């Protein structure tokens, strides 16, 4: 008789929920492993810059085609788009320079750059400057324009971080914390408000607040600054009729939909028309004159109309990634100047994007701030790409990245971009305890340790002499007594021997 062979039992199938959980765990493990690589921050900055720039190129092409066409001047539908490509090319060169130039050299040049920017802010108020959209804040060079306030923001971040790092040990004192960074910043505010440019003033204030925050300023200072800022905004709004009209249109957007509230209402309508998936690229109606300056300040409304809620969420996620990566670079560096600069530039970029998106969706008053890397080119695009290049340079100065680049070579992007190996951070040589990364800030000396008057100093000089003389006499007397005792002991021993 033959017996049938028993088949092996099949393993039990795992539940679908368990498989999903295991897949999520595997994805999280792989993502954590990738983020732990030495150059992860550097690659993330490159990716975010590239994706946001490509989105900007596509959206500017869709937004500017109608506004570019002008049969009187002979400009075609691609004239603004070609200019934007020129600015992207120039920004790519500036991005490479910010990535390749040593950060120590940028820090040394920060004071000179700040002085130059102050001079340009003064010159733009003279007949050399040009007025665009009611603000005399531009230099016109042929068909191109340059806005000095954009460069002043970056110069203030570099120079302010340099000063605050130098004064780290005395930064707890108000006069060292505020001078000279705050007076120079206030001078920039005044020059920009004379143009007038409320959006540039607001972003400059963001740079100043971020500098003080990452430098470790006391929190009560920010309360004072914010209170003074709100009072200043109120005064500026009351003394200028057009600013007051903007504020009133923000408070009651439906009161006048044809004057000051026209752009804000049209932006909301464009977002509503887009729905969830959008109308498709090039199918929006905002670029046909229904929304003025759609390629500049209100390009996020066109994104919502043509790409829908999904496109808006993608843009928000990308800027959220800029915030996470920038703060990651700031926390992973040990050079205090790089930490302050990385944090300040990151907060500046994300805050500018937040302000732009905020007034497009109706959460903030209209201030005329561009959406970084996405709005139509110009000085803002070039300066933003410089900032991203500096952030990528700072990412290569993380301790793990420095060790990997100096031992394993520059890598693919390093060889392609011809990037030099970064130098490891060396703290400056200072007095004992002042240059250590974990050293506490110096505090005022206690009363007992402060310099004494002249009479007390003379007494303090004479006292050690008296004490040394006393110790010498004591030692001499002890030595004489010891010799006397020794001689007595010798005599007694000799007498005992003689008796024996």
């Amino acid at each position: 008789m033959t017996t049938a062979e028993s088949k092996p039992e099949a393993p039990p199938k795992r539940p679908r929920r368990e498989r999903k959980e295991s897949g999520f765990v595997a994805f999280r493990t792989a993502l954590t492993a990738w983020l732990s690589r030495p150059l992860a921050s550097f690659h993330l900055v490159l990716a975010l810059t590239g994706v946001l720039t490509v989105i900007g190129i596509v959206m500017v092409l869709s937004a500017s085609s109608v506004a570019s066409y002008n049969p009187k001047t002979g400009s075609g539908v691609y004239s603004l788009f070609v200019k934007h490509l020129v600015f992207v090319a120039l920004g790519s060169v500036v991005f490479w320079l910010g990535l390749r130039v040593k950060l120590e050299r940028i820090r040394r040049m920060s004071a000179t750059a700040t002085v130059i920017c102050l001079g340009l802010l003064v010159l733009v108020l003279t007949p050399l400057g040009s007025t665009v959209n009611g603000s005399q804040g531009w230099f016109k060079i042929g068909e191109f324009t340059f806005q000095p306030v954009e460069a002043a923001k970056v110069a203030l971040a570099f120079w302010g971080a340099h000063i605050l790092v130098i004064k780290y040990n005395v930064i707890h004192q108000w006069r060292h914390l505020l001078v000279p960074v705050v007076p120079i910043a206030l001078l920039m505010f005044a020059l920009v408000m004379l143009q007038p440019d409320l959006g540039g003033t607001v972003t400059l204030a963001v740079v100043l607040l971020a500098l003080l925050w990452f430098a470790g300023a006391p929190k009560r200072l920010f309360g004072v600054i914010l209170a003074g800022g709100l009072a200043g905004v109120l005064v500026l709004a009351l003394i200028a009729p057009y600013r007051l009209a903007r504020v009133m249109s923000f408070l009651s957007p439906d009161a006048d939909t044809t004057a000051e509230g026209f752009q804000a209402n049209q932006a909301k309508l464009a977002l509503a028309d887009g729905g969830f998936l959008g109308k498709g690229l090039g199918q929006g109606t905002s670029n046909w004159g229904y929304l003025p300056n759609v390629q500049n300040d209100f390009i996020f409304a066109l994104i919502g109309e043509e790409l829908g809620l999904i496109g808006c969420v993608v843009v928000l996620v990308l800027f959220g990634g800029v915030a996470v990566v920038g703060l990651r670079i700031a926390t992973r560096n040990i050079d205090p100047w790089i930490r302050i600069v990385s944090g300040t530039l990151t907060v500046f970029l994300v805050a500018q994007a937040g302000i732009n998106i905020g007034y497009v969706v109706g959460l903030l008053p209209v201030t005329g701030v561009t959406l970084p890397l996405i709005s139509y080119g110009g000085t803002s695009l070039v300066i933003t790409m410089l900032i991203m290049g500096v952030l990528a340079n700072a990412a290569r100065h993380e301790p793990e990245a420095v060790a990997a680049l100096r031992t394993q070579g520059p890598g693919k992007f390093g060889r392609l971009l011809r990037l030099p190996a970064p130098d490891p951070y060396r703290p400056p040589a200072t007095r004992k305890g002042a240059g250590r990364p974990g050293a506490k800030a110096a505090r005022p000396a206690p009363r007992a340790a402060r310099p004494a008057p002249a009479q007390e100093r003379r007494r303090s000089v004479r006292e050690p002499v008296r004490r040394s003389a006393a110790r010498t006499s004591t030692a001499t007397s002890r030595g004489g007594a010891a010799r006397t005792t020794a001689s007595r002991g010798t005599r007694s021993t000799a007498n005992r021997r003689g008796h024996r």
Side-chain angles (χ1 to χ4, degrees):
M1 296 178 63
T2 60
T3 58
E5 296 181 359
S6 60
K7 296 182 179 179
E9 296 181 359
K13 294 183 178 180
R14 292 184 299 174
R16 184 177 299 178
R17 183 176 180 181
E18 185 179 350
R19 290 199 299 269
K20 288 183 178 180
E21 290 181 356
S22 62
F24 174 74
V25 171
F27 172 76
R28 185 178 61 182
T29 304
L31 180 62
T32 304
W34 187 84
L35 290 176
S36 62
R37 292 183 177 182
L39 294 176
S41 301
F42 172 67
H43 294 151
L44 284 172
V45 173
L46 294 182
L48 290 169
T49 305
V51 173
L52 286 171
T53 304
V54 170
I55 293 176
I57 291 174
V58 174
M59 297 313 301
V60 167
L61 175 61
S62 177
S64 63
S65 57
V66 177
S68 301
Y69 180 71
N70 190 351
K72 296 181 180 179
T73 59
S75 58
V77 294
Y78 298 111
S79 59
L80 291 178
F81 176 68
V82 171
K83 286 183 180 180
H84 183 75
L85 291 181
V86 172
F87 283 117
V88 169
L90 181 59
S92 301
V93 175
V94 174
F95 175 87
W96 178 74
L97 291 176
L99 179 57
R100 197 178 191 282
V101 176
K102 291 186 176 181
L103 293 178
E104 294 84 358
R105 187 174 183 181
I106 296 177
R107 181 177 178 180
R108 290 195 300 267
M109 294 169 58
S110 61
T112 305
T114 303
V115 174
I116 293 175
C117 289
L118 285 173
L120 292 176
L121 290 175
V122 173
L123 288 177
V124 79
L125 298 174
T126 64
L128 296 176
S130 301
T131 302
V132 178
N133 295 327
S135 174
Q136 189 176 348
W138 307 78
F139 290 108
K140 279 192 176 181
I141 305 173
E143 296 183 357
F144 298 95
T145 57
F146 171 71
Q147 195 174 11
V149 66
E150 298 293 337
K153 301 170 188 176
V154 182
L156 177 62
F158 291 155
W159 175 75
H162 170 67
I163 296 298
L164 293 174
V165 168
I166 290 177
K167 293 189 171 187
Y168 173 74
N169 291 328
V170 291
I171 205 173
H172 61 279
Q173 302 177 11
W174 288 92
R175 60 187 181 92
H176 291 290
L177 174 64
L178 301 180
V179 179
V181 176
V182 173
I184 295 298
L186 293 178
L187 178 60
M188 287 184 177
F189 295 168
L191 293 174
V192 175
M193 284 307 302
L194 288 176
Q195 297 177 5
D197 184 2
L198 182 60
T201 307
V202 171
T203 48
L204 272 173
V206 171
V207 172
L208 176 62
L209 290 175
L211 275 173
L212 297 176
W213 176 267
F214 287 104
K219 295 181 180 179
R220 61 182 180 274
L221 174 64
F222 296 96
V224 175
I225 293 178
L226 290 176
L230 291 176
V233 169
L234 181 60
V235 172
L236 292 174
L238 292 176
I239 62 176
Y242 77 94
R243 297 196 197 103
L244 183 60
R246 283 186 179 182
V247 174
M248 297 306 295
S249 65
F250 168 70
L251 296 177
S252 56
D254 298 329
D256 188 3
T257 58
T258 60
E260 293 295 334
F262 179 74
Q263 281 184 305
N265 282 278
Q266 290 298 111
K268 294 177 185 178
L269 291 175
L271 292 172
D273 290 341
F276 186 75
L277 297 176
K279 295 181 177 180
L281 286 173
Q283 303 301 318
T285 57
S286 299
N287 50 6
W288 287 89
Y290 294 100
L291 182 56
N293 293 325
V294 63
Q295 72 273 10
N296 294 324
D297 303 340
F298 287 86
I299 197 168
F300 187 77
L302 186 64
I303 293 175
E305 184 180 10
E306 296 187 350
L307 302 180
L309 178 64
I310 294 179
C312 295
V313 171
V314 169
V315 172
L316 291 175
V317 169
L318 290 174
F319 280 109
V322 172
V324 172
V325 175
L327 296 179
R328 168 189 166 98
I329 294 171
T331 55
R332 290 169 67 92
N333 268 283
I334 58 177
D335 188 335
W337 184 80
I338 298 179
R339 291 169 66 96
I340 297 177
V341 166
S342 301
T344 301
L345 295 180
T346 301
V347 171
F348 160 65
L349 284 181
V350 177
Q352 181 170 337
I355 293 172
N356 178 275
I357 296 173
Y359 68 68
V360 169
V361 300
L363 296 178
L364 295 173
V366 178
T367 54
V369 176
T370 59
L371 188 60
L373 294 176
I374 297 181
S375 294
Y376 172 72
T379 312
S380 177
L381 176 63
V382 175
I383 295 299
T384 303
M385 297 193 75
L386 171 64
I387 292 173
M388 298 303 290
V390 173
L391 285 178
N393 198 347
R396 297 180 78 246
H397 281 76
E398 295 177 3
E400 296 180 0
V402 172
L405 291 172
R406 297 186 70 87
T407 56
Q408 302 175 10
K412 296 180 181 179
F413 289 102
R415 286 190 294 269
L416 178 64
L417 300 175
R418 298 183 179 274
L419 303 178
D423 297 326
Y425 171 67
R426 294 182 178 86
T430 55
R431 295 180 180 179
K432 293 183 179 180
R436 294 194 299 268
K440 296 182 179 180
R443 297 293 178 183
R447 187 175 183 85
R450 294 177 185 176
Q455 297 179 358
E456 296 183 6
R457 287 199 298 269
R458 287 195 294 269
R459 292 176 184 175
S460 63
V461 171
R462 294 171 183 172
E463 188 65 22
V465 177
R466 296 176 181 177
R467 292 180 180 176
S468 62
R471 285 196 296 268
T472 304
S473 61
T474 304
T476 305
S477 60
R478 289 178 180 175
R483 287 192 297 270
T484 305
T485 306
S487 60
R488 291 177 180 176
T490 305
R491 291 175 184 174
S492 61
T493 303
N495 293 333
R496 284 197 300 269
R497 288 178 181 177
H499 288 295
R500 289 177 182 176

